[in-house]
Amino acid sequence: MGGYAGKILFINFSRKSRKKWNTRSFTKTTMRKYLGGRGLAAYLLYKHNPKGIDSLSPKNNLIVASGPLAGTFVPAGGKITFASKSPLTGGYGNSNMGGHLAAELKYAGYDALIIEGKANKPSMLVIDDGHIEIRDAGKYWGMHSIDAEKALKEDLGEDFQIAVIGPAGENLVRFACISHDFGRQAGRTGMGAVMGSKNLKAICVRGTRGIPIHDIEAMMEKGREMFTDCLTSENQKHWTRYGTPGVTDWVNEIGAFPVRNFKGEWFVHHKHLNGETMREKIVIGDKGCFGCPMPCGKVSHATKNGAYDVYVEGPEYETIALCGGNCCLGDISDVAYINYLLDQYGIDTISGGAVMAFAIECFQKNIISLVMTRGRKLDFGDVETMEFLAKEIAEQKSELGRILALGTKKAAQILGGDSFVAAIQVKGLEQSGYGIRDAPAMALSYITCGIGAHHNDSWAITRDIEKGRKLLEGKAEWVVYLQHIRPLFDMFGTCRLQWVELPNFSLEHYPEIFKCVTGLDFTLEELLEKSERIFNLTRCFWKRENPDFGRAYDQPPVRFLKEEVPLGPTCGAKLDQEKVDYLLDDYYKLRGWDKNGIPTKEKLEELGLDFIVKDLYPDSEK
Ligand code: SF4
């Protein structure tokens, strides 16, 4: 079968013998069912993780999975998935990362890694084609992410692709990220903390082998057509020039830009944070992932009166939203500087920005006291407050740092009082950068997303704008549709942004190139059915790990039900429970789930997930 390296590498750091790894081939049936990338990762996690384990225990597996199109002649085939039981949410954790690791892993001969156990000292995994080594990483432990990656490249060779954690991952901050290529992150759901819990500082990969291709000439022809479509699109130029910060003005204009811990959804200083300002003031270069014809990464140089002078890849829109507007920073250089700090500590900038805004609000409500901050005032719009908080969280030397490092949901449970209103999260995952009080499709996207409040599965806010923001009918249908399409790219191992951002870039390209590469002939509908299978599998993982899981978990942040937007285009808007219930009823029905949002036995059987039935329905005959 083309497109696949053909092997999965199992590493168990706790194994007593000297050799701590072995490889296994996978069956064609497995790949036909789960494709690869996110699909394979979700399946392997469900299968290999023992039920009910602590997410920071050695038994929690970290799965790293590339997809069948990664590293081939397809636009932007450079995406890799990290999956594990999330230490932030206690449910399915997953984060997708660009860069060059996905291709390199396949060139080294592996489609996926399953990492189990805990090393008895700081270690790193070195994969050099077929040669596997676990090396002492004491020298790098404690280093910041970017510095550690630099040092590892110097020691191992520039041609190694490296995934590394910073101090936040080492100290088990629940929203620590995994960093790669000096600016790409697997940011969400705390995958960096899982690496830290295994004493694993870095995964270093070099591969020089090829990938079997079913029909190489057909792939080259189809690939050329896809690249040409990308490169000749008018939007390609706009996207390459501004990257994701190009949407800042639009999000603000529609009244969905987070401000002051999502109290507001419109920011007066947005012009200082938009793509044009960023390009003019701080961007010094463009950077892309493997094989990308529209590089959205922006390399920036942020400097201010001797206070800081740093180079960083970013900020992305999400960082601008969460560390900018949400913390009331109105200067793009300041946002880039905070981006740099969080990248160095190895903290997800979305959760990081949200937790900092949460802390400032709690301080202003006297829930966090001056004693806890050791006499330091916490203010919105203050870079030094954010510097202080980032350090507290990453190092966890104080009570405040240790509480905030748990994420907003758990921190609110400890702090009590009104702090739960300041915790802008769903299922424990801090919400990414779109206000939802006047955007029901986007609200539904967040509350039903497979990892918590993230936009990766469904970015449906455009549907709210196109079809009407008050309208509820039809929104669930659209969210389900997106939740099958968008994760499909993660299963292929490609970026979805070519399809999202370039209006004429057809989805129909994908079954065709998939066939050229793998030899497997699936229609788009059949591929989407596989994506639906994975969405359900993920849902079942939540249920297996959390017996009380269901509708109560699919709820928006309390703030959006209690407080109206104070000003701007969505002034006066608020969600209410009736609307949320309407959307969920509609959504569950479309998905074939019961009223509590659990996939029915019939649905699981229809999707070929029979092996899950006994976990969810132990009394059934099968
Ligand atoms: S569009 Fe951006 S995220 Fe996607 S592959 Fe290109 S550089 Fe990477």
Side-chain angles (χ1 to χ4, degrees):
M1 200 162 48
Y4 297 96
K7 278 194 217 119
I8 295 173
L9 178 63
F10 286 73
I11 301 110
N12 188 341
F13 285 110
S14 299
R15 200 186 274 174
K16 293 276 181 282
S17 62
R18 224 167 67 82
K19 190 177 170 210
K20 298 190 186 306
W21 63 89
N22 62 290
T23 57
R24 281 184 222 163
S25 306
F26 49 78
T27 65
K28 205 170 171 179
T29 318
T30 304
M31 288 316 193
R32 286 178 73 94
K33 237 175 140 175
Y34 305 103
L35 291 190
R38 176 174 172 171
L40 181 65
Y43 169 67
L44 292 174
L45 187 70
Y46 195 99
K47 196 162 164 244
H48 290 279
N49 250 34
K51 179 181 168 184
I53 50 157
D54 186 300
S55 52
L56 293 175
S57 82
K59 285 198 182 310
N60 191 18
N61 288 285
L62 176 66
I63 317 283
V64 188
S66 192
L69 298 186
T72 69
F73 190 59
V74 57
K79 291 283 185 174
I80 195 159
T81 294
F82 289 82
S84 195
K85 181 170 178 180
S86 166
L88 183 60
T89 68
Y92 179 72
N94 172 315
S95 201
N96 191 263
M97 185 175 82
H100 301 263
L101 189 68
E104 201 72 20
L105 186 64
K106 284 173 72 179
Y107 297 159
Y110 304 102
D111 293 293
L113 312 175
I114 303 186
I115 305 172
E116 194 191 347
K118 179 178 182 179
N120 56 16
K121 60 181 178 184
S123 300
M124 61 199 216
L125 175 64
V126 181
I127 302 171
D128 194 358
D129 280 334
H131 184 74
I132 316 294
E133 235 184 295
I134 293 166
R135 292 194 198 166
D136 188 305
K139 174 180 167 188
Y140 310 100
W141 200 256
M143 273 189 188
H144 288 168
S145 296
I146 299 171
D147 302 340
E149 187 172 356
K150 231 183 260 172
L152 282 159
K153 282 207 171 236
E154 270 165 27
D155 292 350
L156 295 172
E158 272 297 320
D159 46 353
F160 270 84
Q161 296 299 334
I162 290 161
V164 66
I165 57 168
E170 295 171 11
N171 294 330
L172 311 182
V173 172
R174 304 294 176 116
F175 44 95
C177 64
I178 297 172
S179 307
H180 162 61
D181 200 26
F182 304 106
R184 292 279 157 190
Q185 284 85 18
R188 309 248 59 199
T189 69
M191 296 297 99
V194 177
M195 259 178 85
S197 73
K198 300 188 175 310
N199 265 336
L200 178 59
K201 178 72 179 178
I203 301 169
C204 314
V205 185
R206 177 166 63 183
T208 58
R209 303 165 177 188
I211 304 169
I213 300 294
H214 169 71
D215 184 341
I216 200 156
E217 277 174 26
M219 176 190 76
M220 294 305 286
E221 198 183 323
K222 186 70 205 166
R224 257 193 300 272
E225 187 192 333
M226 291 172 79
F227 274 104
T228 306
D229 275 9
C230 289
L231 291 166
T232 53
S233 165
E234 208 27 57
N235 276 32
Q236 186 270 356
K237 292 178 189 61
H238 185 268
W239 180 259
T240 302
R241 183 156 178 76
Y242 300 115
T244 55
V247 303
T248 307
D249 280 346
W250 179 78
V251 180
N252 199 60
E253 271 158 28
I254 62 165
F257 189 71
V259 183
R260 200 171 272 263
N261 200 24
F262 276 95
K263 263 185 177 293
E265 300 191 357
W266 181 81
F267 194 42
V268 67
H269 301 299
H270 70 102
K271 289 277 177 216
H272 301 302
L273 300 179
N274 67 15
E276 281 90 355
T277 303
M278 183 168 148
R279 188 91 214 175
E280 210 176 279
K281 280 187 75 176
I282 60 170
V283 172
I284 55 168
D286 305 320
K287 194 172 159 205
C289 307
F290 178 91
C292 180
M294 41 187 270
C296 72
K298 301 290 147 251
V299 181
S300 300
H301 180 203
T303 175
K304 194 175 233 178
N305 307 333
Y308 55 78
D309 186 348
V310 298
Y311 292 86
V312 64
E313 185 178 336
E316 296 274 353
Y317 166 75
E318 297 298 335
T319 311
I320 291 173
L322 273 299
C323 297
N326 206 40
C327 292
C328 301
L329 283 190
D331 180 324
I332 195 69
S333 294
D334 287 345
V335 178
Y337 170 58
I338 297 301
N339 189 164
Y340 168 82
L341 281 185
L342 295 179
D343 282 4
Q344 279 283 44
Y345 285 130
I347 291 175
D348 170 30
T349 57
I350 298 178
S351 282
V355 170
M356 289 194 269
F358 165 85
I360 299 168
E361 183 176 336
C362 287
F363 177 82
Q364 296 187 342
K365 287 177 168 168
N366 293 322
I367 298 168
I368 289 176
S369 66
L370 269 173
V371 175
M372 284 178 82
T373 64
R374 302 188 300 289
R376 205 195 185 294
K377 274 178 71 194
L378 304 182
D379 287 318
F380 281 108
D382 177 33
V383 178
E384 286 175 13
T385 291
M386 295 176 77
E387 262 179 331
F388 168 77
L389 287 170
K391 194 165 190 288
E392 293 285 297
I393 293 165
E395 294 182 350
Q396 290 188 58
K397 289 184 178 153
S398 65
E399 185 198 7
L400 178 65
R402 284 188 289 275
I403 291 174
L404 295 178
L406 297 171
T408 54
K409 183 180 176 188
K410 291 196 183 101
Q413 284 162 357
I414 295 169
L415 293 169
D418 216 14
S419 64
F420 71 99
V421 181
I424 311 301
Q425 51 77 33
V426 176
K427 300 183 179 74
L429 183 73
E430 286 74 25
Q431 181 168 312
S432 63
Y434 308 93
I436 54 173
R437 278 173 279 197
D438 204 16
M442 196 62 221
L444 186 62
S445 302
Y446 276 140
I447 63 180
T448 59
C449 170
I451 58 169
H454 196 47
H455 58 280
N456 62 332
D457 290 350
S458 166
W459 190 65
I461 196 158
T462 48
R463 192 69 168 182
D464 288 315
I465 304 304
E466 279 162 26
K467 297 284 173 189
R469 301 179 79 152
K470 306 289 173 229
L471 185 78
L472 300 183
E473 293 81 31
K475 297 287 171 76
E477 201 174 341
W478 186 251
V479 170
V480 170
Y481 169 73
L482 288 181
Q483 285 176 340
H484 293 166
I485 288 188
R486 292 169 66 100
L488 188 58
F489 291 93
D490 302 343
M491 294 162 76
F492 287 146
T494 59
C495 180
R496 71 176 74 88
L497 290 168
Q498 289 64 35
W499 170 67
V500 175
E501 298 298 332
L502 308 179
N504 299 323
F505 195 74
S506 169
L507 210 48
E508 290 297 339
H509 282 313
Y510 287 92
E512 291 174 35
I513 191 105
F514 183 74
K515 184 180 172 196
C516 302
V517 171
T518 64
L520 298 171
D521 192 3
F522 295 123
T523 62
L524 185 58
E525 284 66 36
E526 286 167 332
L527 289 166
L528 291 173
E529 274 166 33
K530 295 175 200 305
S531 188
E532 182 183 7
R533 176 179 298 131
I534 301 311
F535 203 87
N536 279 265
L537 176 59
T538 304
R539 187 87 180 169
C540 294
F541 185 87
W542 274 95
K543 179 68 182 165
R544 190 186 78 174
E545 298 303 305
N546 302 275
D548 63 340
F549 181 77
R551 184 182 278 256
Y553 281 60
D554 294 339
Q555 296 299 321
V558 176
R559 163 150 292 149
F560 304 146
L561 293 166
K562 283 176 79 110
E563 297 174 9
E564 292 180 358
V565 178
L567 78 169
T570 48
C571 183
K574 169 163 95 68
L575 282 176
D576 64 56
Q577 195 60 50
E578 214 177 300
K579 278 185 206 160
V580 172
D581 288 341
Y582 176 95
L583 289 164
L584 285 177
D585 285 344
D586 211 11
Y587 177 87
Y588 293 162
K589 206 158 126 197
L590 281 165
R591 282 216 165 276
W593 297 352
D594 67 18
K595 285 193 180 333
N596 192 31
I598 306 302
T600 60
K601 182 170 170 278
E602 294 70 33
K603 187 72 198 175
L604 295 177
E605 285 167 354
E606 177 197 316
L607 291 169
L609 293 172
D610 305 53
F611 67 98
I612 288 176
V613 171
K614 66 174 180 355
D615 292 334
L616 263 62
Y617 300 97
D619 298 333
S620 72
E621 284 157 29
K622 274 199 174 174

